[in-house]
Amino acid sequence: MKKLALMALVAFIGFAAQAQQAKISFKDDTVDYGTIAKGSDGVRVFEFTNTGDAPLIISDVKSSCGCTVPKKPDGPIAPGASSTIQVKYDTNRVGPIRKTVTVYSNASEPMLALKIKGEVMNDTSSVLEKS
């Protein structure tokens, strides 16, 4: 009888632990830089909220290219709390921006792809016009 009660308790604890899950909800999954000048500020943020009922832990954030440097939040994000993932694009690279940032976490969807897009325009004015 004690074994049966112990097995039921273990099963209940296991079921209760599975019921709590972190869930990440982004305000927007794409950051549009629009048309920006070469050398301008390339820092943007993805805003998100933990809409689950367990702490959200972002274990890693990776970019599809070395020209984009993501920064994950430090520590766990409590249920209901919000945070940001910062990305910095190298705006000295002229041309279209089409990059993917992948977020790895303990959320119900453990791997999410975020996008950045836009275009970096070359400064066409001459050195004499700048003085």
Side-chain angles (χ1 to χ4, degrees):
M1 189 64 163
K2 287 182 181 181
K3 285 184 180 181
L4 183 60
L6 181 61
M7 286 177 37
L9 180 63
V10 168
F12 177 74
I13 291 172
F15 177 74
Q18 288 181 353
Q20 291 188 339
Q21 181 78 45
K23 184 176 180 186
I24 190 167
S25 298
F26 282 89
K27 185 176 180 181
D28 197 355
D29 65 353
T30 302
V31 166
D32 189 353
Y33 281 75
T35 302
I36 59 174
K38 179 180 177 182
S40 61
D41 182 20
V43 177
R44 302 291 187 274
V45 293
F46 288 97
E47 298 176 18
F48 67 90
T49 302
N50 178 2
T51 56
D53 52 10
L56 172 67
I57 299 168
I58 296 180
S59 55
D60 201 5
V61 181
K62 293 189 177 185
S63 167
S64 60
C65 169
C67 59
T68 307
V69 180
K71 182 181 177 190
K72 69 182 187 76
D74 296 330
I77 294 90
S82 296
S83 189
T84 59
I85 293 173
Q86 178 181 303
V87 292
K88 182 176 182 178
Y89 182 76
D90 179 7
T91 59
N92 288 316
R93 296 174 182 237
V94 175
I97 304 169
R98 301 281 184 271
K99 303 298 174 197
T100 302
V101 176
T102 307
V103 179
Y104 300 90
S105 71
N106 68 331
S108 56
E109 196 172 341
M111 187 172 76
L112 278 170
L114 306 173
K115 306 283 184 194
I116 63 170
K117 65 180 186 175
E119 185 169 4
V120 179
M121 302 301 290
N122 196 4
D123 188 6
T124 58
S125 60
S126 73
V127 176
L128 294 175
E129 291 174 350
K130 290 182 180 179
S131 49

